[in-house]
Short mmCIF file of all heavy atoms in Angstrom, two decimals:
data_model
loop_
_atom_site.label_atom_id
_atom_site.label_comp_id
_atom_site.label_asym_id
_atom_site.label_seq_id
_atom_site.Cartn_x
_atom_site.Cartn_y
_atom_site.Cartn_z
N TYR E 1 7.26 -43.58 -43.58
CA TYR E 1 8.20 -43.21 -44.59
C TYR E 1 7.91 -43.72 -46.00
O TYR E 1 7.81 -44.96 -46.12
CB TYR E 1 9.64 -43.67 -44.12
CG TYR E 1 10.74 -42.92 -44.99
CD1 TYR E 1 11.11 -41.62 -44.70
CD2 TYR E 1 11.38 -43.62 -45.97
CE1 TYR E 1 12.04 -41.01 -45.40
CE2 TYR E 1 12.38 -43.01 -46.67
CZ TYR E 1 12.69 -41.67 -46.42
OH TYR E 1 13.70 -41.02 -47.10
N ARG E 2 7.56 -42.89 -46.89
CA ARG E 2 7.27 -43.21 -48.30
C ARG E 2 6.09 -44.14 -48.31
O ARG E 2 6.15 -45.34 -48.64
CB ARG E 2 8.41 -43.90 -49.00
CG ARG E 2 9.76 -42.99 -49.02
CD ARG E 2 9.56 -41.86 -49.98
NE ARG E 2 10.87 -41.21 -50.20
CZ ARG E 2 11.37 -40.18 -49.62
NH1 ARG E 2 10.67 -39.75 -48.57
NH2 ARG E 2 12.52 -39.71 -49.93
N PRO E 3 4.81 -43.52 -48.01
CA PRO E 3 3.62 -44.42 -47.98
C PRO E 3 3.38 -45.19 -49.30
O PRO E 3 2.83 -46.34 -49.23
CB PRO E 3 2.53 -43.41 -47.75
CG PRO E 3 3.21 -42.26 -47.07
CD PRO E 3 4.57 -42.16 -47.66
N ARG E 4 3.69 -44.63 -50.41
CA ARG E 4 3.51 -45.37 -51.66
C ARG E 4 4.24 -46.68 -51.74
O ARG E 4 3.74 -47.72 -52.27
CB ARG E 4 3.90 -44.46 -52.89
CG ARG E 4 3.55 -45.04 -54.19
CD ARG E 4 3.94 -44.10 -55.35
NE ARG E 4 5.37 -43.94 -55.42
CZ ARG E 4 6.04 -43.34 -56.47
NH1 ARG E 4 5.31 -42.75 -57.37
NH2 ARG E 4 7.28 -43.13 -56.37
N LEU E 5 5.50 -46.65 -51.14
CA LEU E 5 6.24 -47.92 -51.17
C LEU E 5 5.82 -48.94 -50.18
O LEU E 5 5.94 -50.09 -50.41
CB LEU E 5 7.83 -47.49 -50.84
CG LEU E 5 8.42 -46.49 -51.89
CD1 LEU E 5 9.77 -46.10 -51.45
CD2 LEU E 5 8.32 -47.04 -53.22
N VAL E 6 5.24 -48.52 -49.11
CA VAL E 6 4.60 -49.44 -48.11
C VAL E 6 3.47 -50.18 -48.88
O VAL E 6 3.32 -51.37 -48.76
CB VAL E 6 3.98 -48.64 -46.94
CG1 VAL E 6 3.15 -49.53 -46.06
CG2 VAL E 6 5.15 -48.08 -46.09
N LYS E 7 2.71 -49.43 -49.69
CA LYS E 7 1.63 -50.07 -50.45
C LYS E 7 2.20 -51.00 -51.52
O LYS E 7 1.79 -52.14 -51.66
CB LYS E 7 0.77 -48.95 -51.15
CG LYS E 7 -0.39 -49.51 -51.94
CD LYS E 7 -1.19 -48.39 -52.58
CE LYS E 7 -2.39 -48.98 -53.35
NZ LYS E 7 -3.16 -47.83 -53.97
N ALA E 8 3.24 -50.62 -52.20
CA ALA E 8 3.93 -51.45 -53.10
C ALA E 8 4.40 -52.77 -52.56
O ALA E 8 4.35 -53.82 -53.22
CB ALA E 8 5.03 -50.73 -53.79
N LEU E 9 4.92 -52.74 -51.30
CA LEU E 9 5.34 -53.95 -50.65
C LEU E 9 4.28 -54.69 -49.91
O LEU E 9 4.55 -55.66 -49.16
CB LEU E 9 6.50 -53.54 -49.65
CG LEU E 9 7.78 -53.09 -50.23
CD1 LEU E 9 8.60 -52.34 -49.27
CD2 LEU E 9 8.44 -54.25 -50.95
N SER E 10 3.00 -54.26 -50.13
CA SER E 10 1.81 -54.97 -49.52
C SER E 10 1.90 -54.98 -48.02
O SER E 10 1.57 -55.94 -47.40
CB SER E 10 1.62 -56.39 -50.09
OG SER E 10 1.50 -56.34 -51.53
N GLN E 11 2.36 -53.89 -47.43
CA GLN E 11 2.52 -53.77 -45.99
C GLN E 11 1.53 -52.90 -45.23
O GLN E 11 1.78 -52.49 -44.17
CB GLN E 11 3.96 -53.38 -45.72
CG GLN E 11 5.07 -54.35 -46.03
CD GLN E 11 6.42 -53.90 -45.70
OE1 GLN E 11 6.67 -52.71 -45.49
NE2 GLN E 11 7.35 -54.92 -45.51
N GLY E 12 0.48 -52.51 -46.04
CA GLY E 12 -0.52 -51.63 -45.41
C GLY E 12 -1.07 -52.14 -44.08
O GLY E 12 -1.11 -51.39 -43.04
N ALA E 13 -1.52 -53.44 -44.04
CA ALA E 13 -2.09 -54.00 -42.84
C ALA E 13 -1.02 -54.03 -41.77
O ALA E 13 -1.30 -53.86 -40.55
CB ALA E 13 -2.58 -55.43 -43.15
N GLN E 14 0.25 -54.41 -42.12
CA GLN E 14 1.32 -54.50 -41.12
C GLN E 14 1.62 -53.11 -40.52
O GLN E 14 1.78 -53.05 -39.28
CB GLN E 14 2.57 -55.01 -41.86
CG GLN E 14 3.81 -55.02 -41.00
CD GLN E 14 5.01 -55.45 -41.77
OE1 GLN E 14 4.88 -56.30 -42.66
NE2 GLN E 14 6.16 -54.99 -41.43
N TYR E 15 1.55 -52.06 -41.36
CA TYR E 15 1.77 -50.71 -40.81
C TYR E 15 0.63 -50.26 -39.93
O TYR E 15 0.85 -49.50 -39.00
CB TYR E 15 2.08 -49.80 -41.93
CG TYR E 15 3.55 -49.58 -42.14
CD1 TYR E 15 4.37 -50.62 -42.57
CD2 TYR E 15 4.17 -48.35 -41.80
CE1 TYR E 15 5.76 -50.47 -42.77
CE2 TYR E 15 5.45 -48.17 -41.93
CZ TYR E 15 6.24 -49.23 -42.36
OH TYR E 15 7.60 -49.08 -42.46
N LEU E 16 -0.62 -50.61 -40.25
CA LEU E 16 -1.72 -50.28 -39.35
C LEU E 16 -1.56 -50.95 -37.98
O LEU E 16 -1.75 -50.32 -36.92
CB LEU E 16 -3.02 -50.75 -40.04
CG LEU E 16 -4.29 -50.35 -39.23
CD1 LEU E 16 -4.43 -48.80 -39.15
CD2 LEU E 16 -5.55 -50.99 -40.00
N GLN E 17 -1.13 -52.25 -38.00
CA GLN E 17 -0.92 -52.84 -36.74
C GLN E 17 0.19 -52.30 -35.98
O GLN E 17 0.15 -52.13 -34.73
CB GLN E 17 -0.65 -54.42 -37.02
CG GLN E 17 -1.80 -55.11 -37.57
CD GLN E 17 -1.46 -56.56 -37.98
OE1 GLN E 17 -0.26 -57.00 -37.91
NE2 GLN E 17 -2.48 -57.33 -38.38
N ALA E 18 1.20 -51.91 -36.67
CA ALA E 18 2.46 -51.42 -36.00
C ALA E 18 2.11 -50.00 -35.42
O ALA E 18 2.46 -49.62 -34.33
CB ALA E 18 3.59 -51.21 -37.06
N SER E 19 1.29 -49.23 -36.11
CA SER E 19 0.89 -47.89 -35.64
C SER E 19 0.07 -48.06 -34.32
O SER E 19 0.25 -47.37 -33.36
CB SER E 19 0.06 -47.18 -36.72
OG SER E 19 0.77 -46.90 -37.82
N ALA E 20 -0.83 -49.03 -34.37
CA ALA E 20 -1.62 -49.32 -33.23
C ALA E 20 -0.80 -49.77 -32.05
O ALA E 20 -1.06 -49.39 -30.87
CB ALA E 20 -2.68 -50.41 -33.54
N ALA E 21 0.22 -50.54 -32.32
CA ALA E 21 1.21 -51.05 -31.18
C ALA E 21 1.92 -49.85 -30.58
O ALA E 21 2.12 -49.83 -29.32
CB ALA E 21 2.12 -52.03 -31.75
N VAL E 22 2.32 -48.85 -31.34
CA VAL E 22 3.06 -47.69 -30.84
C VAL E 22 2.04 -46.84 -30.00
O VAL E 22 2.34 -46.45 -28.98
CB VAL E 22 3.64 -46.85 -32.04
CG1 VAL E 22 4.20 -45.57 -31.46
CG2 VAL E 22 4.72 -47.59 -32.67
N VAL E 23 0.81 -46.62 -30.55
CA VAL E 23 -0.14 -45.83 -29.81
C VAL E 23 -0.49 -46.45 -28.42
O VAL E 23 -0.78 -45.77 -27.50
CB VAL E 23 -1.41 -45.55 -30.72
CG1 VAL E 23 -2.53 -44.93 -29.93
CG2 VAL E 23 -1.03 -44.87 -32.00
N ALA E 24 -0.54 -47.78 -28.41
CA ALA E 24 -0.86 -48.51 -27.23
C ALA E 24 0.16 -48.32 -26.08
O ALA E 24 -0.15 -48.39 -24.88
CB ALA E 24 -1.05 -50.04 -27.49
N LYS E 25 1.49 -47.98 -26.51
CA LYS E 25 2.47 -47.86 -25.56
C LYS E 25 2.94 -46.41 -25.32
O LYS E 25 3.65 -46.06 -24.30
CB LYS E 25 3.69 -48.70 -25.95
CG LYS E 25 3.44 -50.23 -25.93
CD LYS E 25 3.21 -50.75 -24.65
CE LYS E 25 3.13 -52.31 -24.63
NZ LYS E 25 2.99 -52.92 -23.28
N ALA E 26 2.69 -45.49 -26.23
CA ALA E 26 3.14 -44.18 -26.17
C ALA E 26 2.08 -43.16 -26.50
O ALA E 26 1.08 -43.45 -27.20
CB ALA E 26 4.27 -43.96 -27.14
N GLY E 27 2.25 -41.96 -26.00
CA GLY E 27 1.23 -40.93 -26.31
C GLY E 27 1.47 -40.31 -27.64
O GLY E 27 2.61 -40.24 -28.06
N VAL E 28 0.37 -40.01 -28.29
CA VAL E 28 0.44 -39.36 -29.65
C VAL E 28 -0.31 -38.10 -29.55
O VAL E 28 -1.51 -38.11 -29.15
CB VAL E 28 -0.09 -40.21 -30.76
CG1 VAL E 28 -0.04 -39.49 -32.12
CG2 VAL E 28 0.70 -41.58 -30.86
N PHE E 29 0.40 -36.97 -29.85
CA PHE E 29 -0.19 -35.63 -29.69
C PHE E 29 -0.09 -34.76 -30.86
O PHE E 29 0.90 -34.83 -31.58
CB PHE E 29 0.55 -34.95 -28.50
CG PHE E 29 0.67 -35.78 -27.26
CD1 PHE E 29 1.75 -36.55 -26.94
CD2 PHE E 29 -0.38 -35.67 -26.33
CE1 PHE E 29 1.80 -37.36 -25.80
CE2 PHE E 29 -0.38 -36.41 -25.16
CZ PHE E 29 0.74 -37.32 -24.89
N MET E 30 -1.09 -33.91 -31.05
CA MET E 30 -1.05 -32.86 -32.07
C MET E 30 -0.36 -31.65 -31.40
O MET E 30 -0.84 -31.13 -30.43
CB MET E 30 -2.46 -32.49 -32.62
CG MET E 30 -2.45 -31.61 -33.70
SD MET E 30 -1.88 -32.41 -35.28
CE MET E 30 -3.43 -33.54 -35.52
N PHE E 31 0.73 -31.27 -32.06
CA PHE E 31 1.49 -30.10 -31.53
C PHE E 31 1.46 -29.01 -32.52
O PHE E 31 2.13 -28.99 -33.55
CB PHE E 31 2.89 -30.54 -31.22
CG PHE E 31 3.77 -29.43 -30.61
CD1 PHE E 31 3.22 -28.39 -29.87
CD2 PHE E 31 5.15 -29.47 -30.69
CE1 PHE E 31 3.95 -27.39 -29.23
CE2 PHE E 31 5.93 -28.47 -30.05
CZ PHE E 31 5.39 -27.42 -29.42
N GLN E 32 0.67 -27.99 -32.17
CA GLN E 32 0.61 -26.77 -33.02
C GLN E 32 1.44 -25.74 -32.32
O GLN E 32 1.25 -25.38 -31.25
CB GLN E 32 -0.85 -26.18 -33.16
CG GLN E 32 -1.77 -27.27 -33.78
CD GLN E 32 -3.10 -26.72 -34.11
OE1 GLN E 32 -3.28 -25.94 -35.00
NE2 GLN E 32 -4.05 -27.07 -33.33
N ARG E 33 2.46 -25.30 -33.12
CA ARG E 33 3.47 -24.32 -32.47
C ARG E 33 3.71 -23.20 -33.46
O ARG E 33 3.54 -23.27 -34.69
CB ARG E 33 4.67 -24.99 -31.99
CG ARG E 33 5.74 -25.20 -33.09
CD ARG E 33 5.59 -26.43 -33.90
NE ARG E 33 6.68 -26.65 -34.82
CZ ARG E 33 6.47 -26.87 -36.06
NH1 ARG E 33 5.28 -26.90 -36.61
NH2 ARG E 33 7.54 -27.03 -36.79
N THR E 34 4.23 -22.11 -32.90
CA THR E 34 4.50 -20.92 -33.64
C THR E 34 5.79 -21.17 -34.52
O THR E 34 6.76 -21.58 -34.02
CB THR E 34 4.77 -19.79 -32.71
OG1 THR E 34 3.67 -19.53 -31.81
CG2 THR E 34 5.01 -18.42 -33.41
N ILE E 35 5.66 -20.86 -35.84
CA ILE E 35 6.82 -20.92 -36.74
C ILE E 35 7.55 -19.68 -36.78
O ILE E 35 7.36 -18.85 -37.62
CB ILE E 35 6.29 -21.42 -38.14
CG1 ILE E 35 5.37 -22.63 -38.04
CG2 ILE E 35 7.52 -21.59 -39.01
CD1 ILE E 35 6.09 -23.86 -37.58
N ASP E 36 8.33 -19.45 -35.78
CA ASP E 36 9.17 -18.19 -35.58
C ASP E 36 10.26 -18.55 -34.70
O ASP E 36 10.04 -18.95 -33.54
CB ASP E 36 8.26 -17.07 -35.04
CG ASP E 36 8.93 -15.74 -35.00
OD1 ASP E 36 10.19 -15.68 -35.05
OD2 ASP E 36 8.24 -14.71 -34.97
N PHE E 37 11.52 -18.33 -35.20
CA PHE E 37 12.69 -18.59 -34.43
C PHE E 37 12.70 -17.80 -33.11
O PHE E 37 13.29 -18.21 -32.13
CB PHE E 37 13.99 -18.41 -35.20
CG PHE E 37 14.29 -19.49 -36.24
CD1 PHE E 37 13.80 -19.29 -37.50
CD2 PHE E 37 14.84 -20.70 -35.84
CE1 PHE E 37 14.05 -20.33 -38.48
CE2 PHE E 37 15.01 -21.71 -36.78
CZ PHE E 37 14.68 -21.53 -38.11
N ARG E 38 12.11 -16.60 -33.10
CA ARG E 38 12.10 -15.82 -31.92
C ARG E 38 11.29 -16.49 -30.78
O ARG E 38 11.47 -16.15 -29.62
CB ARG E 38 11.60 -14.50 -32.21
CG ARG E 38 12.50 -13.62 -33.14
CD ARG E 38 11.85 -12.36 -33.61
NE ARG E 38 10.69 -12.64 -34.45
CZ ARG E 38 9.88 -11.71 -34.94
NH1 ARG E 38 10.17 -10.44 -34.72
NH2 ARG E 38 8.82 -11.97 -35.62
N ALA E 39 10.36 -17.40 -31.24
CA ALA E 39 9.52 -18.00 -30.21
C ALA E 39 9.95 -19.44 -29.85
O ALA E 39 9.35 -20.09 -29.05
CB ALA E 39 8.12 -18.24 -30.84
#
């Protein structure tokens, strides 16, 4: 959320570690889906 502010707070390394921690415990998937309410 708001990557520029993460940088301003010098939390880039912290966010990289947090991202890795989430990936280690949960699946991360690319979901390409049809943009149509009928679908």
Side-chain angles (χ1 to χ4, degrees):
Y1 192 77
R2 303 290 193 265
R4 186 180 65 173
L5 301 176
V6 170
K7 183 178 179 181
L9 290 164
S10 302
Q11 293 182 338
Q14 176 182 328
Y15 262 67
L16 183 62
Q17 293 173 356
S19 296
V22 172
V23 174
K25 296 292 185 179
V28 177
F29 306 93
M30 186 73 71
F31 184 23
Q32 297 188 78
R33 85 276 184 230
T34 306
I35 308 296
D36 187 337
F37 284 98
R38 293 171 297 181

